[in-house]
Amino acid sequence: MTDKPDEYYIKETLNGNVNAYTFLVKRYNYMVFTLAVRIIKNREDAEEIAQDVFVKGYRNLANFKGDSKFSTWLYKIAYYASLDKLKSNKRQVNAENIDVIKGAYLEDSHNSHSELHDNERKNIINKALLKLSEEDRVIVTLYYFEELPIKEIVIVVGLSEDNVKVKLFRARKKLAELLKNVIEINTIDL
């Protein structure tokens, strides 16, 4: 049942099968959480936002017109819910590692070295992302990590296509500069 398209689960949910919505939650939970944590920079708040997004999505499912993908519609809800949370907090929250750490056992020292290197690289990228504005961070996340096309990002963030392209270009440039500085500092430290 999990390989069916979103439209099937939406129709089933609207026809009274509330369990069908569970499949949509499972399918998009990580995506919604990732977007929220990149904006909020706080794991607990992001989990709360993700729950709220799915509740709001369920309550408003009848309003989903199908003009865009269901995932894009959820992204939009998550984006605005995250911005609302930022506004309500009105404080700077300590950034925490935004990667969801999945438990894994290391098989040998080569794997542990490789994993350590991967984690270090992710940590460096995450820290650089956190230095971007919320809007730029969201656009970069949606484009590179969630692999959404520009047209869907436009729907989520409510900007023109040209504006999204410009912001993506500038954010990429700033991110490259931030990463270049980190690499130079690490090279000097060696």
Side-chain angles (χ1 to χ4, degrees), residues 2-190:
T2 59
D3 60 345
K4 296 192 173 149
D6 294 345
E7 293 76 21
Y8 171 81
Y9 298 112
I10 292 167
K11 184 178 176 184
E12 284 292 305
T13 303
L14 291 173
N15 287 334
N17 180 0
V18 293
N19 291 329
Y21 192 70
T22 304
F23 290 98
L24 295 171
V25 172
K26 287 179 183 175
R27 186 173 284 171
Y28 296 111
N29 189 40
Y30 182 75
M31 172 197 85
V32 168
F33 170 77
T34 301
L35 179 63
V37 82
R38 292 218 189 259
I39 296 171
I40 297 296
K41 304 179 221 169
N42 180 286
R43 185 180 181 87
E44 290 79 24
D45 286 346
E47 288 172 351
E48 183 181 318
I49 288 168
Q51 290 175 352
D52 292 345
V53 165
F54 286 108
V55 169
K56 187 173 186 177
Y58 179 78
R59 289 182 181 155
N60 293 295
L61 195 56
N63 297 330
F64 175 65
K65 305 281 188 250
D67 297 340
S68 63
K69 291 182 187 177
F70 179 72
S71 59
T72 304
W73 185 70
L74 274 180
Y75 266 128
K76 191 171 187 173
I77 294 170
Y79 176 68
Y80 286 107
S82 298
L83 291 181
D84 288 346
K85 182 70 172 178
L86 272 180
K87 289 175 189 173
S88 71
N89 282 348
K90 291 190 182 188
R91 59 178 165 77
Q92 186 66 23
V93 179
N94 289 335
E96 51 178 88
N97 188 357
I98 59 180
D99 284 328
V100 175
I101 299 170
K102 297 181 179 175
Y105 295 101
L106 301 177
E107 295 174 2
D108 58 31
S109 63
H110 176 71
N111 284 347
S112 64
H113 176 71
S114 175
E115 186 174 317
L116 183 63
H117 182 68
D118 288 346
N119 286 340
E120 183 179 342
R121 184 175 35 220
K122 286 178 185 176
N123 195 21
I124 289 169
I125 292 170
N126 285 335
K127 285 181 180 178
L129 277 170
L130 290 173
K131 292 180 180 179
L132 298 177
S133 71
E134 285 87 12
E135 190 172 59
D136 288 348
R137 189 169 49 248
V138 167
I139 291 171
V140 167
T141 298
L142 292 175
Y143 188 77
Y144 288 106
F145 296 100
E146 301 300 330
E147 298 178 354
L148 284 184
I150 297 289
K151 290 186 186 300
E152 288 186 39
I153 296 171
V154 164
I155 294 168
V156 172
V157 297
L159 298 172
S160 71
E161 188 170 331
D162 289 338
N163 202 337
V164 169
K165 287 178 182 178
V166 168
K167 286 183 173 292
L168 183 61
F169 175 79
R170 289 180 182 160
R172 253 193 315 239
K173 197 171 178 179
K174 182 169 182 168
L175 206 55
E177 188 64 34
L178 290 167
L179 293 172
K180 179 182 169 195
N181 291 339
V182 169
I183 292 169
E184 287 175 357
I185 289 170
N186 286 341
T187 305
I188 292 170
D189 289 343
L190 295 175

